[in-house]
Amino acid sequence: MDFLILNKGFPILSVLIFLPLAGAFIAMFLSGDKVARVWALIVTSLNAIISLPLYSAFNSSSYKFQFAEHQAWIPQWNINYTLGLDGISLLLVLLTTIIMPLCILASWRYIAKRVKTFMICMLILETTMLGVFAALDFILFYIMWEAMLIPMYMLIAIWGGPRKVYASTKFFIYTLAGSVMMLVAIIALYLHSAPHTFFIPALMGQPYSTTFQILIFLAFFVAFAVKVPMFPVHTWLPAAHVEAPTAGSVILASILLKMGTYGLLRFCLPMTPQATLTFMPYILWLSVAGILYGGFTALAQHDMKKLIAYSSVGHMGFITLGIFVLNFRGMEGAILQMINHGVTTGALLLCVGMIYERTHSRELATATGVGKYMPVFVTFFAIFSLSSFAFPGTNSFVGEFLVLAGGFANHKLVTAVAIPGAILAAAYMLRMLQRVIWGGVNNPSHEGLLDLNTREIVTLAPFLVFVFWIGLAPGPFLSVMHSTVHHLLAQVNAGVVHPAIACLP
Amino acid sequence: MNIMLFAPELFLLLGALIVFLLSLSDDHNSARNVALAAGFGALILSASGVNLSGMMFGGAYSVDLFSQLFKTMITAGMTAVLIFGGRHQGIEKRVRPEYYLCLILSTLGLMMLVSSVDLVAIFVSLELSSFSLYLMLPMRSTEHGLRIQMEAGIKYMLFGVMATGIMLFGMSYIFGLTGSTSLTAITAKLPALIHEPAAVVGIVMILCVFMFKLAIFPFHFWVSDAYEGGANETTAFLATVPKLAGVAMLIRIVNLINPSEAIINFMAILAVCSMFYGNLCALRQTDFKRMMGFSAVAHAGFVLLGILTFKEAGYATSIYYILGYLVMNLACFMVICKVSKSGENVPIAGLAGLYKRSPLLAFTMGLSMFALAGIPPFAGFMGEFLLLAGAMQAGHLTVVILGALNAAIAIYYYLSVVKVTYCNEPEVDTEPIRVDIGTKAVSLVLISAIIFIGIYPAALLDMASTALRLAF
């Protein structure tokens, strides 16, 4: 297998994927809320620690899939258990493993009922998310992709807000209905490959006919567009975000949404390059529509979580824009922006959750003026808000700048139309910030508010580190993806009848 | 004649005789214990004799891996139903011994059916199992009224008898054309005759009765009423075990002929109609068993996808799928039997707060619903995926796309059961449900089976393929 660099010795990816599952199994036999919390924290932290050497051991000069594992699974259909990471999935795996323990910490007090079940759901969720990013076999990928719906559904449906049933059902049905055609497309790819295989790298660069590519592309695109979510299939996201418990929202925003863009990068582009080019203009305009729509809608929100949810629609629009301008800068910016959005939006949602725990409201009106009583909190909140609208020096600035630079290189008009989106982001974020920090200093209901405790500071601090690290020195994050992105663009170019759409720097 | 070949059937027959004697004395507890022992014994005998092979009764009865696999599944299903049925509170007290007798005989009929390789033997075994089932449906306790089970019983019997009549009609054509009732002789002669309309009509008519057993559209009209009207324990049996034999016999009969365009199209249309009809009707149901009845119609459509490929791999997938279907359905009917206090029907809303009343039952229910909906990594998904992949390989793209769409429709009603089980607070009954140790064991076995079958299909598919290769 010349796509893989097989891992000899410690099967690090399998351990990462199945350690949380084993933890969930053991958690079933634990009793007591406190024990369950501590156990989940131990397991997820252990996973985060195990995952760190991935970064240092990763050979960033190779585009091949590293730490790969390969086992026969269902030989009748040539389905294998194949795992591996490249520059794109490496960052997403690290993002997942690092965010999970922070989510457990954030749920420490927030989740008061059925704590054990909650922790089990979180651990199973981690298994499936890591599985999605590491899987190199289509069936393994699909199993993880769909299995993830179960714990996420439970998180929203059991621990959610007042409209949890509506939100969770909508989430489940939207995502499932989006991906059923993907299964048909996966089988079609298998039947059109010679020899028949579900091995993802081997399905890239096959000489499919244009019609076939278009059908496959559409089947995949619907599944991923729902997950991203792209305008106009984004409506499940605000509902799910608002109703989900804090940890659920954070995971949803930081990791689940990334699976959509990850899928576009991993499957649509390299497998169906011709179709990608055909649909590129439409997707670019859809992205811009998402950016503007998300921005304007966020401007009108009174519920802070809803505001952040709509801002996600806008930010994800920037990511799809960066992917589909199909050049080096845009794509690197998009991938970096995937990480940035995970860091920034995750942190903002945690902040909103912290206010909610204190005031039992997410309304902007009731949160006005907490700045007077919670100075530490608003410091964090302000930095994350600045990061969210890409203030220079923060992480999103680098990503958004790269995306726009890439966009202007190839598609000036589309990118120019997207610019107001960046201004809108500043408008809605500053509006929220202004209300929360300075609005109505004499709000009587805030008298007894306590500032962040140590646990909450520990939860937010890592996000702060990444905001400035990526913002000031993005080199280490970009360098691991260089060769993967080069290779990906080469794959797209090679599969296109008229190359030269992508100008490599 | 090697007596061991026939041992599981003989053991059940012995059990039936003892239960018959006990039925004279009204002792329903020992009748149940004997039935359970007979089921266990037959299960062990079939499982240990899985590799036996031989012909009996003048070539009318074939014992091979194919039939033994099905016998193991059938006896396992019956044993599970007997265990979680507990004291069978849904059954009229004074006829309980007779009920156990009918249950054993019906199982015996199904076991003989999967071994039958002669038209007459098929007919006899089928009737043995059907007539017992006709009797079992109205034996429901009259505590909650009489009408519903009588309607179910009559409906099931009338439809069943009619289906059998059609089958006999078809058999007469086949016998007329080939001059033999032995499937081996028919296999040799039929391919040459397949362009005769009479042969096609004959085969389709024989298929009808097994499609009736599987509740494939348009032979499904009995299913919702029979499921709803039968006692919970009866429905648990009716919904699972006869389907196994149905699949086995569909494969046997379909294997007689070479695929012709007409028959493939006929089956493809039935498959798609079943899926859509079943799933769309299930969306609106409020009674759990009725919903499961429509879900059975949809799943039967899926099973057909494997059979209409007319390939060994497709048949093997159908067998794999029906095994998964058996465990998933047993799991959710087990929960229903336990939730129902005195044998009454359980509306979907009646599952509210089950997570509080019994976490194990709630988990079993949730898992089996997700599995039935085809969410990975459980048995339902893997079966569905393999069936779709097989059908697509055989070139039925439209059917596959429509099937995949159905997976999206079906999720809604399965999900609403999960929602009620896990998210709603209990309304009327709030006290915990006592789950006996036997049911706990069955539930753990079923949960592990649903997961194991889903993530490790290779060995099962292999075994099914080997069985098919040896049998045909």
Side-chain angles (χ1 to χ4, degrees), chain A residues 73-74 76-77 79 114 139 142-143 146-147 150 153-154 157 165 172-173 176 180-181 183-184 187-188 191 198, chain B residues 355 370 375-376 378 381-382 385-386 389-390 392-393 401 404 411-412 415 418-419 422-423 455 457-458 461-462:
Chain A
W73 181 16
I74 308 172
Q76 288 92 336
W77 285 88
I79 297 171
R114 297 161 84 180
I139 299 308
Y142 191 81
I143 286 179
E146 294 275 276
I150 300 176
Y153 169 81
M154 291 294 186
V165 171
F172 203 112
I173 291 180
L176 186 97
V180 285
M181 280 305 135
L183 183 63
V184 179
I187 303 172
L191 294 173
F198 285 109
Chain B
Y355 77 91
F370 279 126
I375 305 294
F378 309 120
F381 165 75
M382 200 40 99
F385 158 68
L386 293 171
M392 196 140 152
Q393 196 165 33
I401 290 179
I411 183 65
Y412 182 76
L415 199 60
V418 177
K419 183 208 82 186
Y422 270 98
C423 308
I455 55 177
L461 284 173
D462 233 18

Side-chain angles (χ1 to χ4, degrees), chain A residues 276-297:
Chain A
T276 304
L277 199 64
T278 312
F279 286 104
M280 179 186 69
Y282 308 104
I283 296 172
L284 287 179
W285 282 109
L286 271 183
S287 310
V288 172
I291 294 173
L292 295 179
Y293 175 86
F296 276 116
T297 326

